């Protein structure tokens, strides 16, 4: 997933916007048309529209697309709900709403077993989500003037850093942890 806020992302390092050519054909649903969210392609289109809107700074539009996708996913797809909630947190204007979306992302990750995650990509390790998820919660609590809760979440992020591979994404997470640690002194 591409980074909306500077801290967010997924440990896989994959792009959030896969290459796509051509226009929607008759077998594809398009958001806004009848049946848009009824197919996997319709859900993909909602997500892609949200990513594009976020990248263009159209926060309300991105939020609307992602919230529609959240409803479409329901409880059946915790992996994508985790990623989506992680993204939606960045798009909130209210710090309390951001905290709630980050909590939803963590709850989804907590319910995601490694076996379920492996159905998406065998190299994906659920544990690799936790440093970023806890880091974002720590940042949320700091924004809300709750330094003790921020420290608690930051400690959880630190304890989960061993799950990260040695790559650029992980280096960014480690640097953000160190920066937040300095701010909390």
């Amino acid at each position: 997933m591409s980074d909306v806020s500077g801290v967010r992302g997924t440990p896989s390092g994959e792009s959030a916007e896969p290459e796509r050519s051509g226009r929607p054909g008759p077998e594809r649903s398009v958001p806004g048309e009848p049946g848009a969210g009824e197919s996997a392609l319709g859900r993909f289109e909602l997500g892609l529209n949200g990513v594009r809107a976020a990248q263009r700074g159209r926060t309300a539009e991105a939020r609307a697309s992602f919230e529609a996708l959240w409803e479409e996913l329901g409880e059946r797809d915790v992996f994508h709900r985790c990623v989506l909630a992680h993204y939606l947190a960045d798009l909130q204007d209210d710090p309390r709403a951001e905290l709630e979306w980050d909590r939803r992302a963590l709850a989804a990750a907590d319910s995601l077993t490694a076996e379920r995650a492996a159905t998406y990509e065998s190299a994906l390790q659920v544990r690799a989500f936790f440093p970023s998820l806890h880091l974002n919660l720590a940042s949320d609590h700091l924004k809300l003037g709750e330094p003790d809760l921020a420290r608690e979440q930051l400690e959880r992020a630190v304890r989960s850093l061993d799950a990260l591979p040695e790559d650029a994404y992980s280096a960014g997470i480690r640097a953000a942890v160190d920066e937040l640690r300095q701010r909390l002194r």
Side-chain angles (χ1 to χ4, degrees), residues 27-182:
E27 72 283 359
R28 300 182 59 161
S29 356
V30 177
E33 292 182 0
E38 295 174 8
S39 71
L41 289 175
R43 289 187 299 273
F44 175 78
E45 196 72 29
L46 281 171
L48 191 56
N49 287 343
V51 169
R52 287 180 180 149
Q55 289 172 339
R56 293 181 179 123
R58 297 191 314 250
T59 305
E61 183 182 332
R63 208 170 30 236
S65 287
F66 289 149
E67 287 172 357
L69 180 55
W70 177 266
E71 292 302 318
E72 286 291 325
L73 290 174
E75 298 293 323
R76 68 180 177 254
D77 192 339
V78 292
F79 171 75
H80 288 110
R81 284 173 68 87
C82 175
V83 173
L84 187 59
H86 203 47
Y87 235 142
L88 269 161
D90 275 344
L91 298 171
Q92 302 306 308
D93 298 324
D94 175 15
R96 291 232 175 260
E98 182 177 358
L99 174 64
E100 286 309 309
W101 280 109
D102 278 331
R103 285 179 173 159
R104 289 175 184 153
L106 180 61
D110 280 339
S111 70
L112 182 61
T113 65
E115 179 181 321
R116 175 80 170 120
T119 64
Y120 295 101
E121 181 182 326
S122 60
L124 179 63
Q125 296 295 316
V126 176
R127 290 183 57 233
F129 285 134
F130 288 99
S132 177
L133 293 171
H134 287 293
L135 176 62
N136 288 320
L137 284 165
S139 178
D140 295 342
H141 285 296
L142 188 58
K143 287 178 198 172
L144 291 167
E146 302 167 340
D148 291 338
L149 292 173
R151 284 183 191 90
E152 180 182 316
Q153 289 297 325
L154 185 61
E155 181 56 35
R156 289 179 181 173
V158 168
R159 286 194 312 258
S160 60
L161 286 173
D162 67 326
L164 294 176
E166 293 299 323
D167 61 12
Y169 167 81
S170 301
I173 295 296
R174 286 183 176 93
V177 164
D178 289 341
E179 180 183 319
L180 190 55
R181 184 181 284 151
Q182 293 298 318

